[in-house]
Amino acid sequence: MTKKIICVWIGTFESEDKLYKNYLKFDYKNEDEPESEFGKDAELEYYDEDFMESWWFSKLELTNLKEYKDDLLDSEYFFDELIAELKNRDLTTRNSISFLFGENGEHSTNEMLFEYNGMKMNNKPIEFVFRKEYEPK
């Protein structure tokens, strides 16, 4: 049985460019171990960016997020729980949200997420907020 997982971070960035072109972009100078600022801050040694989705808003608001629910892979398995978790967070300075998907089984990807326990450091532009394992029907 294939299990899937979603991990979610919220963040604060000066601009959309800073998020997409600087923070999430992989640096391939060291080809053996390309890395991104996101990966370093999230404390992920490696992840497959093809299974990541990041959204930037001028301000992160739950109403905006709900509008995009149907655009998000497998959202029916975790979205309502994610919204409930975000209601407990201070989003006033936040303007981005990043979703990283993983699965084990035949097409495994980002399997390290099943062992992921969040970030140790808090003085980063991102904050880890949510993790859920699920089995698609």
Side-chain angles (χ1 to χ4, degrees), residues 60-74:
L60 182 61
E61 293 173 336
L62 298 181
T63 47
N64 294 354
L65 278 182
K66 289 175 186 169
E67 286 176 33
Y68 292 101
K69 175 182 178 178
D70 296 337
D71 298 341
L72 196 59
L73 179 76
D74 290 343

Side-chain angles (χ1 to χ4, degrees), residues 76-96:
E76 67 271 25
Y77 297 107
F78 63 83
F79 201 83
D80 294 339
E81 285 175 63
L82 172 62
I83 294 296
E85 175 59 40
L86 290 174
K87 282 180 179 165
N88 300 324
R89 305 279 178 155
D90 177 8
L91 302 179
T92 48
T93 63
R94 299 300 188 179
N95 59 15
S96 77

Side-chain angles (χ1 to χ4, degrees), residues 2-16:
T2 297
K3 269 196 149 170
K4 291 191 169 195
I5 187 166
I6 172 89
C7 288
V8 182
W9 295 261
I10 54 176
T12 307
F13 296 90
E14 284 173 39
S15 67
E16 204 169 343

Side-chain angles (χ1 to χ4, degrees), residues 9-21 23-24 53-61 64-65 68 93-99 125:
W9 295 261
I10 54 176
T12 307
F13 296 90
E14 284 173 39
S15 67
E16 204 169 343
D17 269 3
K18 286 265 191 273
L19 172 64
Y20 294 115
K21 292 185 177 159
Y23 198 71
L24 296 173
E53 178 123 6
S54 290
W55 301 340
W56 188 87
F57 299 93
S58 50
K59 188 174 172 16
L60 182 61
E61 293 173 336
N64 294 354
L65 278 182
Y68 292 101
T93 63
R94 299 300 188 179
N95 59 15
S96 77
I97 187 162
S98 296
F99 309 89

